[in-house]
Amino acid sequence: MIGKQIKGTGFRGCLNYVLGKKDAALIGGTMCGQTPEELAAEFAIARQLRPNLKVAVFHATLSVGSTEKLEDSEENDQRWLAIAANYMKAMEFDNNQYAVVKHSDTEHDHIHIVASRICLDGGVVDDSWDYYKSQETIRQLERNYNLETVTPSWETDKRAQTTGEHRQLKSKGNKSVRVQLQDLIDEVTQDNPSMPEFVERLQQQAVEVQVGLTRTGIGFSKGISYKLDGVALSGTQLGKAYTFSGLQKHRGVSYDKGRDNALIEALMQPQHLANAPGEADEKELESSQSELAGTALATPATANELELSQFELETTTPVIPATANELELQLSILPERNETQWQKVRSHLAVEYSLPLELLEKLHSHSWLYADSEKAVFTARTLDGEARFAFVLDERGNFTTTHPLSSEAAFWVATTGEIERAVIACNPIEALSILLIEQDNSTTAPATLYLGIERASQLPIQFLQELDSVIIAIAENSQLARNARSLLPDAELVNPPSSWNDIWIQLIEQEQQTPKQNNQQYKRHTQDLELD
């Protein structure tokens, strides 16, 4: 069974929601009213006992697995009422008003319990332990009623308590800072807030939040960290659901950079840390649920079996362009440019690898690709855009690297938006080929970072660990694939039947007779590319 708790300020809105659903049925509780209006009036009577208590509403949802759904019947209603009564007693709501509403609009049989935190004797139910207490209660109810154990997604996406944390909680009743932060975040995201609302709610709970919204070479960074009682932890240390992208995907926090960035930056200022939002601010911070979808790269046996994603490509660079001196310093560690050979190198890449001319020109205009004598040079950069070394492609199709450093640098391009996904290939040609294959398909993939590497140590591991999906699509180099997988154990491993460039060439040859014709076809895909 899955349980979820939300605390709020208004009974009428909550009652309108739970009773306004199709097939909603009020099956019991401790109250007399039958409509939202009547029940809200009853709740208002008890609320007079604590007129200054703002958060008086307790809203719980209890759901069983789909295999345990029963037909609507009096027996089923009685079972739910018994479960609700036992749950509320264990949650210390045994002297409180509450109503039980059953919903049958999903495959999971479930009930909603709307209750007042104000006891009939004027006391208030303590909510500081409600998430932990709820999970313990649900496990006991599963045993008592022989129910299937269904682990909620928000629980599996958090890092489990360590043995020491379990021992500390059991012996002293103290939760570690990590567990406290997980519980606080679970609580403040119950109603799918916007990212500024989320930050402000945590600040009001004495949590210092740092959101890394600095522009880098691939857009806005996804970093977020938390600090409570002097202990600072990153989102990754709390679990996948607590990273910047994980909050959106697993906790329903909505984020729109155009709408939210200025508000978040304002909240980062010290004078805003303890201020509660006024009515105007609350309207401005009204949240909207983000729809995030992750897609994975297919591994086709033939070109006809490719199921890949199409999207517009936007290659980006840091917001603050390099000065002439900085650019000179970067290029000093790279092979010398020879612009007189560029047309020859460009033609070679277009003919031999069927790379669109417009794409090649875009890369060249930003020094990510250029000519060295008669060879193609692909620059390897950090995620901040700093060139560290180069991949050099000779006319026979072999790659060598120059000035290979141990730092995290790779050849990469990224598509428009905040990166949710990464695909790792074994060289720049392979990375570009995968991008083009996905672009050729009619479906839409999330914003993706495509990397070409020579060694696994070149991967930006910390950044990749916070993404929703990482795909190791390294062809013809099984050792490199294994090394990358050892650093990214949660990544999906794809083993294509041939190189991705061969697959790309097969795809376009099915549509056009020559690479030259193909380049004209794909000119429309690349002519709209923009470089920041």
Side-chain angles (χ1 to χ4, degrees):
M1 184 165 64
I2 296 175
K4 185 177 180 181
Q5 307 86 43
I6 303 173
K7 288 177 284 293
T9 59
F11 286 102
R12 182 62 181 274
C14 183
L15 291 166
N16 284 340
Y17 168 76
V18 299
L19 287 170
K21 283 280 191 175
K22 182 181 179 180
D23 298 327
L26 178 65
I27 62 173
T30 62
M31 306 177 72
C32 299
Q34 297 295 310
T35 66
E37 295 82 0
E38 294 171 349
L39 291 168
E42 281 188 67
F43 279 124
I45 295 173
R47 196 163 195 171
Q48 295 175 4
L49 298 172
R50 287 294 185 111
N52 295 326
L53 180 65
K54 184 177 181 180
V55 182
V57 181
F58 177 83
H59 175 197
T61 305
L62 300 179
S63 174
V64 296
S66 58
T67 58
E68 296 179 293
K69 181 173 181 177
L70 302 178
E71 296 296 329
D72 291 338
S73 66
E74 182 177 350
E75 179 183 354
N76 189 30
D77 289 351
Q78 292 304 314
R79 181 191 71 158
W80 272 123
L81 286 175
I83 290 173
N86 288 334
Y87 177 82
M88 296 301 283
K89 183 176 181 180
M91 296 294 289
E92 300 181 11
F93 281 82
D94 49 349
N95 190 27
N96 299 68
Q97 298 169 309
Y98 70 86
V100 183
V101 179
K102 186 176 71 171
H103 284 181
S104 303
D105 59 337
T106 69
E107 65 177 2
H108 295 277
D109 207 12
H110 65 282
I111 60 170
H112 292 258
I113 305 172
V114 181
S116 174
R117 292 182 57 222
I118 302 171
C119 305
L120 296 178
D121 60 5
V124 178
V125 176
D126 184 10
D127 63 350
S128 60
W129 292 82
D130 59 353
Y131 283 91
Y132 174 76
K133 190 187 305 178
S134 177
Q135 290 307 303
E136 290 293 306
T137 300
I138 286 171
R139 300 289 87 84
Q140 186 60 51
L141 289 173
E142 288 170 344
R143 292 188 288 269
N144 293 347
Y145 289 89
N146 195 28
L147 297 173
E148 176 187 359
T149 298
V150 182
T151 303
S153 60
W154 60 263
E155 190 174 89
T156 59
D157 292 322
K158 67 169 64 176
R159 290 189 180 274
Q161 293 187 50
T162 64
T163 302
E165 288 171 334
H166 275 295
R167 188 180 301 115
Q168 179 182 356
L169 181 61
K170 186 175 181 180
S171 62
K172 300 181 180 180
N174 297 327
K175 291 190 288 185
S176 68
V177 170
R178 186 160 64 88
V179 175
Q180 290 180 59
L181 285 170
Q182 288 172 335
D183 288 351
L184 281 171
I185 294 170
D186 291 342
E187 180 175 343
V188 302
T189 57
Q190 289 294 309
D191 59 344
N192 306 125
S194 66
M195 192 63 73
E197 284 182 309
F198 167 74
V199 171
E200 189 163 32
R201 290 175 182 181
L202 286 182
Q203 289 175 342
Q204 292 171 346
Q205 298 293 327
V207 178
E208 182 180 337
V209 184
Q210 291 295 325
V211 179
L213 289 174
T214 302
R215 188 67 182 266
T216 68
I218 54 175
F220 286 93
S221 67
K222 300 169 70 70
I224 189 167
S225 62
Y226 314 90
K227 187 174 183 180
L228 178 63
D229 295 336
V231 179
L233 295 169
S234 67
T236 303
Q237 289 174 304
L238 298 183
K240 185 177 181 180
Y242 305 93
T243 64
F244 194 79
S245 60
L247 289 168
Q248 298 167 66
K249 183 174 182 180
H250 302 290
R251 293 295 182 269
V253 178
S254 66
Y255 170 66
D256 179 89
K257 63 181 180 181
R259 178 195 68 190
D260 296 338
N261 283 355
L263 293 170
I264 294 174
E265 289 175 6
L267 288 169
M268 294 297 101
Q269 303 304 315
Q271 64 268 27
H272 294 287
L273 295 182
N275 292 341
E279 182 177 352
D281 297 322
E282 290 179 348
K283 291 180 179 178
E284 184 179 14
L285 296 176
E286 183 177 1
S287 63
S288 59
Q289 176 71 40
S290 294
E291 295 182 0
L292 299 177
T295 60
L297 183 65
T299 309
T302 66
N304 290 332
E305 295 175 8
L306 286 169
E307 294 182 2
L308 304 165
S309 301
Q310 180 183 13
F311 43 80
E312 295 181 1
L313 169 67
E314 178 185 7
T315 49
T316 60
T317 57
V319 166
I320 303 175
T323 65
N325 289 337
E326 290 171 339
L327 185 60
E328 182 179 356
L329 176 62
Q330 288 188 14
L331 295 181
S332 68
I333 63 174
L334 303 176
E336 184 178 355
R337 299 172 68 100
N338 188 339
E339 289 301 318
T340 63
Q341 296 296 318
W342 167 242
Q343 295 300 323
K344 180 178 179 179
V345 168
R346 187 189 70 162
S347 297
H348 175 72
L349 294 172
V351 173
E352 294 298 324
Y353 302 98
S354 294
L355 299 179
L357 293 175
E358 289 296 309
L359 174 59
L360 297 175
E361 287 295 346
K362 287 292 183 180
L363 298 174
H364 178 253
S365 69
H366 237 64
S367 299
W368 298 352
L369 169 63
Y370 62 91
D372 168 30
S373 181
E374 297 181 353
K375 299 176 182 178
V377 179
F378 295 83
T379 59
R381 300 164 292 131
T382 66
L383 293 187
D384 292 324
E386 180 184 354
R388 290 296 182 86
F389 62 92
F391 293 85
V392 180
L393 178 67
D394 63 26
E395 292 183 345
R396 294 172 295 179
N398 298 319
F399 272 103
T400 57
T401 57
T402 62
H403 306 286
L405 304 179
S406 59
S407 60
E408 297 174 345
F411 173 83
W412 58 262
V413 292
T415 56
T416 303
E418 185 185 355
I419 304 302
E420 301 177 30
R421 174 176 177 262
V423 180
I424 302 168
C426 61
N427 60 55
I429 295 292
E430 290 287 273
L432 293 173
S433 296
I434 296 173
L435 181 150
L436 291 167
I437 291 170
E438 294 201 326
Q439 183 183 30
D440 189 52
N441 194 266
S442 60
T443 58
T444 301
T448 301
L449 174 69
Y450 299 86
L451 303 105
I453 62 171
E454 180 200 34
R455 302 189 310 276
S457 61
Q458 296 163 354
L459 291 170
I461 298 300
Q462 184 174 358
F463 179 86
L464 296 175
Q465 287 175 336
E466 295 198 3
L467 297 182
D468 295 337
S469 174
V470 177
I471 300 168
I472 300 173
I474 295 176
E476 303 176 337
N477 192 332
S478 58
Q479 184 60 52
L480 179 59
R482 286 193 295 270
N483 292 343
R485 185 67 178 275
S486 67
L487 296 175
L488 297 164
D490 295 331
E492 178 183 353
L493 189 62
V494 171
N495 185 21
S498 62
S499 77
W500 292 107
N501 188 247
D502 287 344
I503 295 173
W504 164 241
I505 292 173
Q506 292 172 23
L507 272 176
I508 61 175
E509 285 181 348
Q510 292 175 0
E511 301 174 2
Q512 300 292 331
Q513 296 300 313
T514 67
K516 180 178 180 180
Q517 290 174 324
N518 177 76
N519 274 305
Q520 295 300 318
Q521 175 190 356
Y522 280 91
K523 184 174 182 178
R524 67 176 183 271
H525 288 295
T526 56
Q527 63 186 0
D528 296 329
L529 305 187
E530 296 181 0
L531 296 173
D532 292 343

